[in-house]
Each structure stands twice: as C-alpha cells, then as structure tokens.
Amino acid sequence: NAGVTQTPKFQVLKTGQSMTLQCAQDMNHEYMSWYRQDPGMGLRLIHYSVGAGITDQGEVPNGYNVSRSTTEDFPLRLLSAAPSQTSVYFCASRQDGEKLFFGSGTQLSVL
Amino acid sequence: GENVEQHPSTLSVQEGDSAVIKCTYSDSASNYFPWYKQELGKRPQLIIDIRSNVGEKKDQRIAVTLNKTAKHFSLHITETQPEDSAVYFCAASIIAGGFKTIFGAGTRLFVKA
C-alpha cells in the first residue's frame, strides 16, 4: 500500500492564480480531510469528507473547494490564491475510530 | 463545534526528565483523543490514543490520561531522550459516524542532552 499520496510537494503561485492539490489513498478509507499547518496554529481543518459524494466544511474553508467523486481521491482547489494561503497542506484519511494517516504534505507559497 | 486548547506551546526539558503536555476540549460528545508527533519536515504520526471508556493508557515511556468530567487530557513522557524532540499535537473527535478530527495548536518539545 502506498498509503496517502499528495502532489505536488512544492508549489509557488502568484496572487489570483488557481490550482488543485491532489490527494489519493489506497486504503479504502471512507473519511478524508485537508488540513493547513501554520506556525503556532497547529493543524486547522479546511474541508472533510465522510464518503464519495459527501463533503463538509471544517474550521477554515474560505477560499477552498473540494469534491469527492471516488473513495480514493479528494482534491483541494484554490480558486484565487492569496498570500494568506501560504502554508503547508496535509491530506489525511482514516476509518471510523482509527488513527489518521497523513500524506507527506504540500508546501505552498503565494506571492 | 469542537475546540481544543493545548499548553504549553513550547517546553524545554533536560534529558531524563519528564515532560507533560495538557489539552482541554469543549465538546462533551468527543470520545476519542489521539496524540501525534511531528518531526521537523515530516508528517504527523500517531504515538498514542485514548478512548473515553478508559482513564489512562501507557505505552513504554508514553502515557495519556483523560478526565472526562473536566474535559481534560494529558500526555506524559518519562525519561525523555533527544529523539523525543518534536512538535506534539493533541486532537479530539467522535469515533463513529465519520466525525471530524480537531487538533490543538501544538507543543514544541526540546530535550537537551
């Protein structure tokens, strides 16, 4: 099993550009989520999904969209990048009652 | 919604000493409390977790305690070693139904040799 795979590992955007962060898992987990990590602020939940076709907002959803068309994939879309979205992004998945498995992260800089 | 507060934000201990990190949560429905360790440049990884039907759990040098009445749980690391230096996150969630996992802000632990 590859676990949780995130791409890209690094990305630089200009303000106003859009992009999609990819996340895929091969563990047949129903629950998938996106977090952003900023210094001193821990891991903040952006969006999460409890199964294909079902998504919900987390703590900091503004400026981000998600969709869940398959169990395996959970992409995160930045609609119009802003410098405040400079962060490290982690995708994570789990089964009910189990630990979160994290991807390796995407370091995003918005200039 | 759930809110998790974590203290201290930074902790420095001498090798061999104990370290304690404390968290409080707000949602009384939360019943699963994991702890994650994140080394520099790496992804967070689970080190121990506790469910609400137990008050304490140990795994070698690591232990977690839970006080459901006070909505408080703590991580205890004994006989600290330099390799324990990392950022530690507590979290809270509800086991069934795919509920979201909310994290504390993290504690950066330095273990001085």
Side-chain angles (χ1 to χ4, degrees), chain B residues 10-42:
Chain B
T10 305
L11 180 60
S12 183
V13 300
Q14 204 68 36
E15 182 178 2
D17 288 349
S18 295
V20 181
I21 302 170
K22 299 181 178 181
C23 290
T24 59
Y25 62 99
S26 61
D27 189 349
S28 56
S30 291
N31 57 8
Y32 177 64
F33 307 94
W35 287 86
Y36 290 81
K37 175 183 180 181
Q38 186 181 30
E39 296 176 346
L40 191 62
K42 302 271 184 77

Side-chain angles (χ1 to χ4, degrees), chain A:
Chain A
N1 286 353
V4 179
T5 302
Q6 274 184 250
T7 56
K9 290 190 183 302
F10 302 94
Q11 183 70 49
V12 179
L13 294 177
K14 294 181 180 178
T15 296
Q17 287 184 316
S18 62
M19 80 157 294
T20 300
L21 306 185
Q22 301 291 345
C23 177
Q25 53 91 10
D26 61 359
M27 297 173 283
N28 203 33
H29 287 169
E30 291 295 325
Y31 178 92
M32 296 186 73
S33 52
W34 277 101
Y35 292 88
R36 59 177 289 173
Q37 183 174 24
D38 302 293
M41 304 193 75
L43 294 155
R44 292 184 293 169
L45 183 65
I46 304 171
H47 286 285
Y48 66 105
S49 168
V50 299
I54 306 169
T55 64
D56 205 348
Q57 296 181 348
E59 302 167 279
V60 288
N62 292 342
Y64 307 94
N65 270 1
V66 292
S67 60
R68 185 94 180 270
S69 56
T70 66
T71 299
E72 294 77 21
D73 299 298
F74 191 44
L76 178 72
R77 297 183 189 85
L78 280 69
L79 308 172
S80 177
S84 60
Q85 293 178 305
T86 293
S87 188
V88 178
Y89 291 84
F90 285 100
C91 178
S93 73
R94 65 169 167 81
Q95 288 290 37
D96 272 354
E98 299 296 329
K99 65 181 180 182
L100 280 169
F101 289 82
F102 284 86
S104 57
T106 296
Q107 191 163 328
L108 176 68
S109 294
V110 183
L111 307 177

Side-chain angles (χ1 to χ4, degrees), chain B residues 75-92:
Chain B
L75 178 71
H76 304 254
I77 306 174
T78 59
E79 301 173 23
T80 53
Q81 301 167 4
E83 52 265 37
D84 294 328
S85 296
V87 178
Y88 292 81
F89 294 99
C90 63

